Amino acid sequence: MTATVRYHPERPNGFRLEQLAAAFDRVRDPRDWQAPIRAVISTGERQVVETAVIWFTETLPSFEAAPGEVHRLVVTAQGYRHGTGGSL
């Protein structure tokens, strides 16, 4: 095996799998990871959270300004169960 074929921890999306998992854990339903997503995040987390939601649920998240909070966003997504990989 050559060095160019070996596992590389960076994904094509620019984040390590560990970063995506941590971001997804912050926004997913702790009782049911396949459930719809609704969470509040800081604006600086948007890119990694967006990538994580797409990676784990195969759905597109939406972001809106959190009411009364300048540097916070409300993220929502259908969740894995309602995405292309889910059973519904």
Side-chain angles (χ1 to χ4, degrees):
M1 180 184 327
T2 66
T4 58
V5 180
R6 288 187 182 163
Y7 169 76
H8 193 280
E10 288 290 329
R11 298 289 188 196
N13 58 33
F15 295 101
R16 296 173 60 92
L17 186 55
E18 294 81 11
Q19 290 173 293
L20 297 178
F24 186 64
D25 283 346
R26 288 193 296 275
V27 298
R28 70 177 178 85
D29 183 328
R31 295 174 306 243
D32 180 7
W33 73 271
Q34 297 180 3
I37 293 170
R38 180 171 179 79
V40 178
I41 62 168
S42 69
T43 55
E45 295 178 289
R46 181 180 176 150
Q47 186 177 9
V48 69
V49 167
E50 181 173 18
T51 305
V53 170
I54 292 168
W55 180 266
F56 287 105
T57 71
E58 297 181 11
T59 64
L60 294 175
S62 297
F63 296 88
E64 296 180 15
E69 298 187 50
V70 178
H71 300 287
R72 309 283 286 169
L73 297 170
V74 176
V75 57
T76 57
Q78 291 179 337
Y80 179 82
R81 189 172 289 116
H82 299 287
T84 58
S87 60
L88 294 180

